[in-house]
Coordinates of all heavy atoms in Angstrom, one line a residue:
T1380 N 12.3 32.8 -13.7 CA 11.1 33.1 -14.4 C 10.4 34.4 -13.9 O 9.3 34.7 -14.3 CB 10.0 32.0 -14.2 OG1 9.7 31.9 -12.8 CG2 10.5 30.7 -14.7
G1381 N 11.1 35.2 -13.1 CA 10.6 36.5 -12.6 C 10.7 37.6 -13.7 O 10.9 37.3 -14.9
V1382 N 10.7 38.8 -13.2 CA 10.7 40.0 -14.1 C 11.9 40.8 -14.0 O 12.1 41.9 -14.7 CB 9.4 40.8 -13.9 CG1 8.2 40.1 -14.3 CG2 9.3 41.4 -12.5
T1383 N 12.9 40.4 -13.2 CA 14.1 41.2 -13.0 C 15.0 41.0 -14.2 O 14.8 40.1 -15.0 CB 14.9 40.8 -11.7 OG1 15.5 39.6 -11.9 CG2 14.0 40.9 -10.5
G1384 N 16.0 41.9 -14.3 CA 17.0 41.8 -15.4 C 17.7 40.5 -15.6 O 18.0 40.1 -16.7
R1385 N 17.9 39.8 -14.5 CA 18.7 38.5 -14.5 C 17.8 37.3 -14.8 O 18.3 36.2 -15.0 CB 19.4 38.3 -13.2 CG 20.5 39.3 -12.9 CD 21.7 39.2 -13.8 NE 22.4 37.9 -13.6 CZ 23.2 37.4 -14.6 NH1 23.4 38.0 -15.7 NH2 23.7 36.2 -14.4
D1386 N 16.5 37.5 -14.8 CA 15.5 36.4 -15.0 C 15.4 36.2 -16.5 O 14.7 36.9 -17.2 CB 14.2 36.7 -14.3 CG 14.2 36.7 -12.8 OD1 14.9 35.9 -12.3 OD2 13.6 37.6 -12.2
V1387 N 16.0 35.1 -17.0 CA 16.0 34.9 -18.5 C 15.6 33.5 -18.9 O 15.8 33.1 -20.0 CB 17.4 35.2 -19.0 CG1 17.8 36.7 -18.8 CG2 18.5 34.3 -18.4
T1388 N 15.1 32.7 -18.0 CA 14.7 31.3 -18.3 C 13.7 31.3 -19.5 O 13.9 30.5 -20.4 CB 14.2 30.5 -17.1 OG1 15.3 30.6 -16.1 CG2 13.9 29.1 -17.5
P1389 N 12.6 32.0 -19.4 CA 11.6 32.0 -20.6 C 12.3 32.4 -21.9 O 12.0 31.7 -22.9 CB 10.5 33.0 -20.2 CG 10.6 33.0 -18.7 CD 12.0 32.9 -18.3
E1390 N 13.2 33.3 -21.9 CA 13.9 33.7 -23.1 C 14.8 32.6 -23.6 O 14.9 32.4 -24.8 CB 14.7 35.0 -22.9 CG 13.8 36.3 -22.7 CD 13.2 36.4 -21.4 OE1 13.6 35.7 -20.4 OE2 12.3 37.2 -21.2
A1391 N 15.4 31.9 -22.7 CA 16.2 30.8 -23.1 C 15.4 29.7 -23.7 O 15.8 29.1 -24.8 CB 17.0 30.2 -21.9
L1392 N 14.2 29.4 -23.2 CA 13.3 28.4 -23.7 C 12.9 28.8 -25.2 O 12.9 27.9 -26.0 CB 12.1 28.2 -22.9 CG 12.2 27.0 -21.9 CD1 13.3 27.2 -20.9 CD2 10.8 26.8 -21.2
H1393 N 12.6 30.0 -25.4 CA 12.2 30.5 -26.7 C 13.4 30.3 -27.7 O 13.1 30.1 -28.9 CB 11.8 31.9 -26.7 CG 10.4 32.1 -26.1 ND1 10.2 32.9 -25.0 CD2 9.3 31.4 -26.3 CE1 8.9 32.8 -24.6 NE2 8.4 31.9 -25.4
R1394 N 14.6 30.3 -27.3 CA 15.7 30.1 -28.2 C 15.8 28.6 -28.7 O 16.5 28.3 -29.6 CB 17.0 30.5 -27.6 CG 17.2 32.0 -27.6 CD 18.4 32.5 -26.9 NE 19.6 31.9 -27.3 CZ 20.8 32.1 -26.7 NH1 20.9 32.9 -25.7 NH2 21.9 31.5 -27.2
L1395 N 15.1 27.7 -28.0 CA 15.1 26.3 -28.4 C 14.2 26.0 -29.6 O 14.2 24.9 -30.1 CB 14.7 25.4 -27.2 CG 15.6 25.5 -26.0 CD1 15.0 24.8 -24.8 CD2 17.0 25.0 -26.3
D1396 N 13.4 27.0 -30.0 CA 12.5 26.8 -31.2 C 11.5 25.7 -31.0 O 11.3 24.9 -31.9 CB 13.3 26.7 -32.4 CG 12.5 26.9 -33.7 OD1 11.5 27.7 -33.6 OD2 12.7 26.2 -34.7
G1397 N 10.9 25.6 -29.8 CA 10.0 24.6 -29.5 C 8.5 25.0 -29.7 O 8.3 26.1 -30.2
K1398 N 7.6 24.2 -29.3 CA 6.2 24.5 -29.4 C 5.7 24.9 -28.0 O 5.8 24.1 -27.1 CB 5.5 23.3 -29.9 CG 4.0 23.5 -30.2 CD 3.3 22.2 -30.7 CE 3.8 21.9 -32.1 NZ 3.0 20.9 -32.7
D1399 N 5.2 26.1 -27.9 CA 4.7 26.6 -26.6 C 3.5 25.8 -26.1 O 2.7 25.3 -26.9 CB 4.2 28.1 -26.8 CG 5.3 29.1 -26.9 OD1 6.4 28.7 -26.5 OD2 5.1 30.2 -27.5
I1400 N 3.4 25.7 -24.8 CA 2.2 25.1 -24.2 C 1.7 26.2 -23.3 O 1.9 26.2 -22.1 CB 2.6 23.8 -23.3 CG1 3.4 22.8 -24.1 CG2 1.4 23.2 -22.7 CD1 4.0 21.7 -23.3
P1401 N 0.9 27.1 -23.9 CA 0.5 28.3 -23.1 C -0.4 28.0 -21.9 O -0.3 28.8 -20.9 CB -0.2 29.2 -24.2 CG -0.5 28.3 -25.3 CD 0.5 27.2 -25.3
G1402 N -1.2 27.0 -22.0 CA -2.1 26.7 -20.9 C -1.4 26.4 -19.6 O -1.9 26.6 -18.5
F1403 N -0.1 25.9 -19.7 CA 0.6 25.6 -18.5 C 0.9 26.8 -17.6 O 0.6 26.8 -16.4 CB 2.0 24.9 -18.8 CG 2.8 24.7 -17.5 CD1 2.5 23.6 -16.7 CD2 3.8 25.6 -17.2 CE1 3.3 23.4 -15.5 CE2 4.5 25.4 -16.0 CZ 4.3 24.3 -15.2
G1404 N 1.4 27.9 -18.2 CA 1.6 29.1 -17.4 C 0.4 29.7 -16.9 O 0.3 30.2 -15.8
E1405 N -0.7 29.7 -17.7 CA -2.0 30.3 -17.3 C -2.5 29.5 -16.1 O -3.0 30.1 -15.1 CB -2.9 30.2 -18.4 CG -2.5 31.1 -19.6 CD -3.2 30.8 -20.9 OE1 -4.0 29.8 -21.0 OE2 -2.9 31.5 -21.9
L1406 N -2.5 28.2 -16.2 CA -3.0 27.3 -15.1 C -2.1 27.5 -13.8 O -2.7 27.6 -12.7 CB -3.1 25.9 -15.5 CG -3.7 24.9 -14.5 CD1 -5.0 25.3 -14.0 CD2 -3.7 23.5 -15.1
F1407 N -0.8 27.5 -14.0 CA 0.1 27.7 -12.9 C -0.3 29.0 -12.1 O -0.4 29.0 -10.9 CB 1.5 27.7 -13.3 CG 2.4 28.1 -12.1 CD1 2.7 27.2 -11.1 CD2 2.8 29.4 -12.0 CE1 3.5 27.6 -10.0 CE2 3.6 29.8 -10.9 CZ 3.9 28.9 -9.9
R1408 N -0.5 30.1 -12.9 CA -0.8 31.4 -12.2 C -2.1 31.4 -11.5 O -2.3 31.9 -10.5 CB -0.6 32.5 -13.2 CG 0.9 32.9 -13.4 CD 1.0 34.0 -14.4 NE 0.8 33.6 -15.8 CZ 1.7 33.0 -16.5 NH1 2.9 32.7 -16.0 NH2 1.5 32.6 -17.8
W1409 N -3.1 30.6 -12.1 CA -4.4 30.5 -11.5 C -4.3 29.7 -10.1 O -4.8 30.2 -9.1 CB -5.4 29.8 -12.4 CG -6.7 29.6 -11.8 CD1 -7.7 30.5 -11.7 CD2 -7.2 28.4 -11.3 NE1 -8.8 30.0 -11.1 CE2 -8.5 28.7 -10.8 CE3 -6.7 27.1 -11.1 CZ2 -9.3 27.7 -10.2 CZ3 -7.5 26.2 -10.5 CH2 -8.8 26.5 -10.0
I1410 N -3.5 28.6 -10.2 CA -3.3 27.9 -8.9 C -2.5 28.7 -7.9 O -2.9 28.8 -6.7 CB -2.5 26.6 -9.2 CG1 -3.4 25.6 -10.0 CG2 -2.0 25.9 -8.0 CD1 -2.6 24.5 -10.7
S1411 N -1.5 29.4 -8.4 CA -0.7 30.2 -7.5 C -1.5 31.4 -6.9 O -1.4 31.8 -5.7 CB 0.5 30.8 -8.3 OG 1.3 31.6 -7.5
F1412 N -2.4 32.0 -7.7 CA -3.3 33.1 -7.2 C -4.1 32.6 -6.0 O -4.3 33.5 -5.1 CB -4.2 33.5 -8.3 CG -5.2 34.6 -7.9 CD1 -4.7 35.9 -7.9 CD2 -6.5 34.4 -7.6 CE1 -5.6 36.9 -7.5 CE2 -7.3 35.4 -7.2 CZ -6.9 36.7 -7.2
Q1413 N -4.5 31.4 -5.9 CA -5.2 30.9 -4.8 C -4.4 31.0 -3.5 O -5.0 31.1 -2.4 CB -5.7 29.4 -5.0 CG -6.3 29.1 -6.3 CD -7.5 29.9 -6.6 OE1 -8.4 30.0 -5.8 NE2 -7.6 30.4 -7.8
K1414 N -3.1 31.0 -3.6 CA -2.2 31.0 -2.4 C -1.6 32.4 -2.1 O -1.4 32.8 -1.0 CB -1.2 29.9 -2.5 CG -1.9 28.6 -2.5 CD -0.9 27.5 -2.5 CE -1.6 26.1 -2.5 NZ -0.8 25.0 -2.5
I1415 N -1.1 33.0 -3.2 CA -0.3 34.3 -3.0 C -1.0 35.5 -3.6 O -0.4 36.6 -3.7 CB 1.1 34.1 -3.5 CG1 1.2 33.9 -5.0 CG2 1.8 33.0 -2.8 CD1 2.6 34.1 -5.6
G1416 N -2.2 35.3 -4.1 CA -2.9 36.5 -4.6 C -2.3 37.1 -5.9 O -1.7 36.4 -6.7
T1417 N -2.4 38.4 -6.0 CA -1.9 39.1 -7.2 C -0.4 39.0 -7.4 O 0.1 39.3 -8.5 CB -2.4 40.5 -7.2 OG1 -1.8 41.2 -6.1 CG2 -3.9 40.6 -7.3
S1418 N 0.3 38.6 -6.4 CA 1.8 38.4 -6.5 C 2.1 37.4 -7.6 O 3.2 37.4 -8.2 CB 2.5 38.0 -5.2 OG 2.3 39.1 -4.3
T1419 N 1.2 36.6 -8.0 CA 1.4 35.6 -9.0 C 1.7 36.2 -10.4 O 2.4 35.6 -11.2 CB 0.3 34.6 -9.1 OG1 0.7 33.5 -9.9 CG2 -1.0 35.2 -9.7
I1420 N 1.3 37.4 -10.5 CA 1.5 38.1 -11.8 C 3.0 38.3 -12.1 O 3.4 38.5 -13.3 CB 0.8 39.4 -11.9 CG1 0.5 39.9 -13.3 CG2 1.5 40.5 -11.1 CD1 -0.5 39.1 -14.0
Q1421 N 3.9 38.2 -11.1 CA 5.3 38.4 -11.3 C 6.0 37.1 -11.8 O 7.1 37.1 -12.2 CB 6.0 38.7 -10.0 CG 5.5 40.1 -9.5 CD 6.2 40.5 -8.2 OE1 7.3 40.0 -7.8 NE2 5.5 41.3 -7.4
S1422 N 5.2 36.0 -12.0 CA 5.8 34.8 -12.5 C 5.5 34.7 -14.0 O 4.4 34.9 -14.5 CB 5.1 33.6 -11.8 OG 5.4 32.4 -12.5
R1423 N 6.6 34.3 -14.7 CA 6.5 34.0 -16.1 C 6.7 32.5 -16.3 O 7.3 32.1 -17.3 CB 7.6 34.8 -16.9 CG 7.3 36.3 -16.7 CD 8.3 37.2 -17.5 NE 9.7 36.8 -17.2 CZ 10.6 36.7 -18.2 NH1 10.4 36.9 -19.5 NH2 11.9 36.4 -17.8
A1424 N 6.2 31.7 -15.5 CA 6.2 30.2 -15.6 C 5.7 29.9 -17.0 O 4.7 30.5 -17.5 CB 5.4 29.5 -14.6
C1425 N 6.3 28.9 -17.7 CA 5.9 28.6 -19.0 C 6.4 27.2 -19.4 O 7.1 26.6 -18.6 CB 6.5 29.6 -20.0 SG 8.3 29.7 -20.0
A1426 N 5.9 26.7 -20.5 CA 6.3 25.3 -20.9 C 6.4 25.3 -22.4 O 5.7 26.0 -23.1 CB 5.3 24.3 -20.4
I1427 N 7.2 24.4 -22.9 CA 7.4 24.1 -24.3 C 7.6 22.6 -24.5 O 7.9 21.9 -23.6 CB 8.5 24.9 -25.0 CG1 9.9 24.4 -24.5 CG2 8.3 26.4 -24.8 CD1 11.1 25.0 -25.3
V1428 N 7.4 22.2 -25.8 CA 7.9 20.9 -26.2 C 9.0 21.2 -27.3 O 8.7 21.9 -28.2 CB 6.8 20.0 -26.9 CG1 7.4 18.7 -27.4 CG2 5.7 19.8 -25.9
A1429 N 10.2 20.7 -27.1 CA 11.3 20.9 -28.0 C 11.9 19.6 -28.4 O 12.4 18.8 -27.6 CB 12.4 21.8 -27.4
R1430 N 11.8 19.2 -29.7 CA 12.4 18.0 -30.2 C 12.0 16.8 -29.4 O 12.8 15.9 -29.2 CB 13.9 18.1 -30.4 CG 14.3 19.2 -31.4 CD 15.7 19.2 -31.8 NE 16.7 19.1 -30.8 CZ 17.3 20.1 -30.1 NH1 16.9 21.3 -30.3 NH2 18.2 19.9 -29.2
G1431 N 10.7 16.7 -29.0 CA 10.2 15.6 -28.3 C 10.4 15.6 -26.8 O 10.0 14.6 -26.2
T1432 N 10.9 16.6 -26.2 CA 11.1 16.7 -24.8 C 10.2 17.8 -24.2 O 10.3 19.0 -24.7 CB 12.6 17.0 -24.5 OG1 13.4 15.9 -25.0 CG2 12.8 17.0 -23.0
Y1433 N 9.5 17.5 -23.2 CA 8.7 18.6 -22.5 C 9.7 19.3 -21.6 O 10.5 18.8 -20.9 CB 7.7 17.9 -21.6 CG 6.5 17.3 -22.3 CD1 6.4 15.9 -22.3 CD2 5.6 18.0 -22.9 CE1 5.3 15.3 -22.9 CE2 4.5 17.4 -23.6 CZ 4.4 16.1 -23.5 OH 3.3 15.4 -24.2
I1434 N 9.5 20.7 -21.6 CA 10.3 21.5 -20.7 C 9.3 22.5 -19.9 O 8.6 23.2 -20.6 CB 11.4 22.3 -21.4 CG1 12.3 21.4 -22.2 CG2 12.2 23.2 -20.4 CD1 13.2 22.1 -23.2
F1435 N 9.4 22.4 -18.6 CA 8.5 23.2 -17.8 C 9.4 24.2 -17.0 O 10.2 23.7 -16.2 CB 7.7 22.4 -16.9 CG 6.8 21.4 -17.6 CD1 7.2 20.1 -17.8 CD2 5.5 21.8 -18.1 CE1 6.4 19.2 -18.5 CE2 4.7 20.9 -18.7 CZ 5.1 19.6 -19.0
A1436 N 9.2 25.5 -17.1 CA 10.0 26.5 -16.4 C 9.1 27.0 -15.2 O 8.1 27.6 -15.4 CB 10.3 27.6 -17.3
L1437 N 9.6 26.7 -14.0 CA 8.9 27.0 -12.8 C 9.7 28.1 -12.0 O 10.9 28.2 -12.2 CB 8.9 25.7 -11.9 CG 8.4 24.4 -12.6 CD1 8.5 23.3 -11.6 CD2 7.0 24.6 -13.1
P1438 N 9.0 28.8 -11.2 CA 9.7 29.8 -10.3 C 10.6 29.1 -9.4 O 10.6 27.8 -9.2 CB 8.5 30.5 -9.6 CG 7.3 30.3 -10.5 CD 7.5 28.9 -11.1
G1439 N 11.4 29.8 -8.7 CA 12.5 29.3 -7.9 C 12.1 29.0 -6.4 O 13.0 28.5 -5.7
S1440 N 10.9 29.2 -6.0 CA 10.6 28.9 -4.6 C 10.0 27.5 -4.4 O 9.5 26.9 -5.3 CB 9.5 29.9 -4.1 OG 8.2 29.6 -4.6
T1441 N 10.2 27.0 -3.2 CA 9.7 25.7 -2.9 C 8.2 25.6 -3.0 O 7.6 24.6 -3.4 CB 10.2 25.1 -1.5 OG1 9.8 26.1 -0.5 CG2 11.7 25.0 -1.5
G1442 N 7.6 26.7 -2.6 CA 6.1 26.7 -2.7 C 5.6 26.7 -4.1 O 4.7 26.0 -4.4
A1443 N 6.3 27.4 -5.0 CA 5.9 27.4 -6.4 C 6.1 26.1 -7.1 O 5.2 25.6 -7.8 CB 6.7 28.5 -7.2
V1444 N 7.2 25.4 -6.8 CA 7.5 24.1 -7.5 C 6.5 23.1 -6.9 O 6.0 22.2 -7.7 CB 8.9 23.6 -7.4 CG1 9.9 24.6 -8.1 CG2 9.4 23.4 -6.0
T1445 N 6.1 23.2 -5.6 CA 5.1 22.3 -5.1 C 3.8 22.5 -5.7 O 3.1 21.6 -6.1 CB 5.1 22.5 -3.5 OG1 6.4 22.2 -3.0 CG2 4.0 21.5 -2.9
D1446 N 3.4 23.8 -5.9 CA 2.1 24.1 -6.5 C 2.1 23.6 -7.9 O 1.1 23.0 -8.3 CB 1.9 25.6 -6.5 CG 1.6 26.2 -5.2 OD1 1.3 25.4 -4.2 OD2 1.7 27.5 -5.1
A1447 N 3.1 23.7 -8.7 CA 3.2 23.3 -10.1 C 3.1 21.7 -10.1 O 2.4 21.2 -10.9 CB 4.5 23.8 -10.8
W1448 N 3.8 21.1 -9.2 CA 3.8 19.6 -9.2 C 2.5 19.1 -8.8 O 1.8 18.3 -9.5 CB 4.9 19.0 -8.3 CG 4.9 17.6 -8.4 CD1 4.2 16.7 -7.6 CD2 5.5 16.8 -9.4 NE1 4.4 15.4 -8.0 CE2 5.2 15.4 -9.1 CE3 6.3 17.1 -10.5 CZ2 5.6 14.4 -9.9 CZ3 6.7 16.0 -11.3 CH2 6.4 14.7 -11.0
E1449 N 2.0 19.6 -7.7 CA 0.7 19.0 -7.1 C -0.5 19.4 -7.9 O -1.4 18.7 -8.0 CB 0.6 19.4 -5.7 CG 1.6 18.7 -4.8 CD 1.5 19.2 -3.3 OE1 0.8 20.1 -3.0 OE2 2.3 18.5 -2.5
G1450 N -0.4 20.6 -8.5 CA -1.6 21.2 -9.2 C -1.7 20.8 -10.7 O -2.8 20.8 -11.3
I1451 N -0.5 20.4 -11.3 CA -0.5 20.2 -12.7 C 0.3 18.9 -13.1 O -0.2 18.0 -13.7 CB 0.1 21.4 -13.5 CG1 -0.7 22.7 -13.2 CG2 0.0 21.1 -15.0 CD1 0.0 23.9 -13.7
L1452 N 1.6 19.0 -12.7 CA 2.5 18.0 -13.3 C 2.3 16.6 -12.7 O 2.4 15.6 -13.5 CB 3.9 18.4 -13.0 CG 4.3 19.7 -13.7 CD1 5.7 20.2 -13.2 CD2 4.3 19.5 -15.2
S1453 N 1.9 16.4 -11.5 CA 1.7 15.1 -10.9 C 0.6 14.3 -11.7 O 0.8 13.1 -11.9 CB 1.3 15.2 -9.5 OG 0.0 15.8 -9.3
T1454 N -0.4 15.0 -12.2 CA -1.4 14.2 -13.0 C -1.0 14.2 -14.5 O -1.2 13.2 -15.1 CB -2.8 14.9 -12.8 OG1 -2.7 16.3 -13.1 CG2 -3.3 14.6 -11.4
Q1455 N -0.5 15.3 -15.0 CA -0.2 15.3 -16.5 C 1.0 14.4 -16.8 O 1.1 14.0 -17.9 CB 0.0 16.7 -17.0 CG -1.3 17.4 -17.2 CD -2.1 16.7 -18.3 OE1 -1.7 16.6 -19.4 NE2 -3.3 16.3 -17.9

Side-chain angles (χ1 to χ4, degrees):
T1380 62
V1382 297
T1383 71
R1385 296 290 299 157
D1386 293 320
V1387 296
T1388 302
E1390 288 78 14
L1392 264 62
H1393 287 127
R1394 285 177 49 188
L1395 299 173
D1396 196 31
K1398 186 178 287 190
D1399 288 335
I1400 307 172
F1403 175 80
E1405 295 160 359
L1406 182 54
F1407 171 80
R1408 282 180 284 282
W1409 179 79
I1410 291 167
S1411 178
F1412 179 77
Q1413 312 301 313
K1414 298 185 178 179
I1415 65 169
T1417 59
S1418 294
T1419 194
I1420 202 73
Q1421 295 180 26
S1422 168
R1423 296 184 306 137
C1425 59
I1427 67 168
V1428 177
R1430 298 192 311 274
T1432 302
Y1433 291 110
I1434 305 171
F1435 300 95
L1437 313 176
S1440 74
T1441 56
V1444 299
T1445 301
D1446 289 346
W1448 183 266
E1449 292 177 351
I1451 306 169
L1452 297 171
S1453 66
T1454 53
Q1455 281 299 297

